[in-house]
Amino acid sequence: MNFKVHLSKNQCLNLDFNSNHLVCVKREDLIHPYISGNKYRKLKYNLAQAKTEGKEVLATFGGAFSNHIAAVAAVGKEFGFKTIGVIRGEELVDKIEGNPTLKFARSCDMQFKFVTREAFRNKISEDFIQDLQREFGDFYLIPEGGTNDLAIKGCEEILTNEDEKFDYICCSVGTGGTISGIINASKPDQKVLGFPALKGDFLQEEISKFAKNSNWQLITDYHFGGYAKINPKLIGFMNQFKSDYGIPLDPIYTGKLLFGVMDLLSKGYFPEHSKILVIHTGGLQGISGMNELLKIKKWPLIS
Ligand SMILES: Cc1ncc(COP(=O)(O)O)c(C=O)c1O
């Protein structure tokens, strides 16, 4: 992708508690406002493939606040592809205006198809895809969350030579694509720790399909009840983290990841003098949508 991206930098934290660890955050969130973090990595080779195949339309799937939907819409606008977003939840059809993610995607000319939750579950069936093709014509299909072999190839580029000094690499896990790329690019003496943003033990198996090394482990204590579930303690942590280090976090993925890493640090999980790299995978576009929900709950907002 030849467009203006900011190469991500490692920002090391000046920890305010008595710690002899080095903790740095890889600021992949700064790559681009919408095509940021792992979305840039996952889409890079998929776009090249779509071009090679002569496709003019990208189709994909996602929920109401999906970072992936926002990124595909932005990429389509930037590179001249038409985009189709199959969205989970028929009820959202008349709620686009009040949903920052969908509103943004529409402003990039994404065409939506809203489907029931049941239909969404069958979205990769042959019948569903054929119906989509009948409705929209030919397209290049990108899976939900963007994870496929080409996405993993892109995520293998997150780590660079200067990252070889780190003992631990920590990242958030949704579908498992990002961590798989990181595992494949890591050195055997490095340990990759994945912090799932959702409940369930299926991820172990998913990651094993793509990961070529065994130097990884999932830390499953920091999902806060499940996907997109948050509480005032997490919000308080994210706001404090931003004010302490100037790094904004998203509520679905990186907020839970950093909460987990800082909690493990405070509990002495990492051996003395460990060097820890935490990957900021972006997702900041999701903050405004979450704040709309928080206003209704009368909870503190994400700053
Ligand atoms: C901001 C952010 N971080 C992390 C993840 C998790 O990535 P993966 O689905 O590849 O595990 C996602 C989801 O794609 C995401 O949007």
Side-chain angles (χ1 to χ4, degrees), residues 24-218:
C24 302
V25 178
K26 187 172 274 289
R27 298 292 309 272
E28 295 268 296
D29 56 309
L30 296 177
I31 289 178
H32 185 277
Y34 285 94
I35 315 163
S36 87
N38 61 347
K39 299 295 164 274
Y40 166 71
R41 305 290 179 182
K42 285 179 171 189
L43 289 171
K44 180 177 167 184
Y45 290 109
N46 274 294
L47 278 204
Q49 183 63 23
K51 284 233 153 99
T52 304
E53 291 178 21
K55 304 281 170 137
E56 292 172 357
V57 183
L58 306 173
T60 197
F61 315 97
F65 300 102
S66 165
N67 296 323
H68 174 67
I69 286 288
V72 171
V75 125
K77 182 87 179 160
E78 185 91 31
F79 295 100
F81 289 94
K82 289 188 182 139
T83 52
I84 299 158
V86 177
I87 309 294
R88 179 179 52 234
E90 272 186 320
E91 73 284 359
L92 293 165
V93 69
D94 54 5
K95 299 203 171 76
I96 299 174
E97 203 49 39
N99 178 307
T101 302
L102 297 179
K103 201 173 159 187
F104 167 77
R106 189 178 59 185
S107 76
C108 297
D109 304 324
M110 180 174 255
Q111 267 183 282
F112 297 125
K113 181 176 175 67
F114 294 93
V115 300
T116 61
R117 280 163 175 74
E118 198 197 337
F120 195 84
R121 271 193 291 278
N122 294 324
K123 62 188 175 300
I124 50 171
S125 70
E126 227 169 87
D127 285 352
F128 189 90
I129 301 295
Q130 278 172 4
D131 281 350
L132 265 190
Q133 281 164 335
R134 266 192 289 276
E135 191 172 341
F136 295 102
D138 191 28
F139 49 72
Y140 182 85
L141 189 66
I142 305 176
E144 186 184 14
T147 291
N148 58 16
D149 287 339
L150 290 173
I152 289 165
K153 181 176 169 190
C155 290
E156 288 173 4
E157 295 175 1
I158 293 174
L159 294 183
T160 63
N161 291 345
E162 68 157 326
D163 300 328
E164 288 178 14
K165 66 169 185 264
F166 289 100
D167 306 304
Y168 291 90
I169 299 153
C170 303
C171 71
S172 177
V173 179
T175 60
T178 307
I179 192 172
S180 298
I182 291 172
I183 294 166
N184 293 347
S186 66
K187 298 285 163 201
D189 59 341
Q190 294 182 308
K191 181 115 195 216
V192 182
L193 300 181
F195 291 69
L198 65 169
K199 268 202 249 178
D201 36 22
F202 64 97
L203 279 169
Q204 194 79 24
E205 204 177 310
E206 278 303 296
I207 298 167
S208 303
K209 283 188 210 156
F210 296 111
K212 295 181 191 139
N213 304 322
S214 55
N215 56 339
W216 60 278
Q217 187 189 334
L218 293 181

Side-chain angles (χ1 to χ4, degrees), residues 171-175 194-200 202-203 218-220 222-230 250-257:
C171 71
S172 177
V173 179
T175 60
F195 291 69
L198 65 169
K199 268 202 249 178
F202 64 97
L203 279 169
L218 293 181
I219 308 277
T220 54
Y222 298 102
H223 54 62
F224 284 80
Y227 183 73
K229 297 259 178 11
I230 66 170
D250 86 288
I252 318 274
Y253 296 100
T254 55
K256 295 180 181 182
L257 165 66

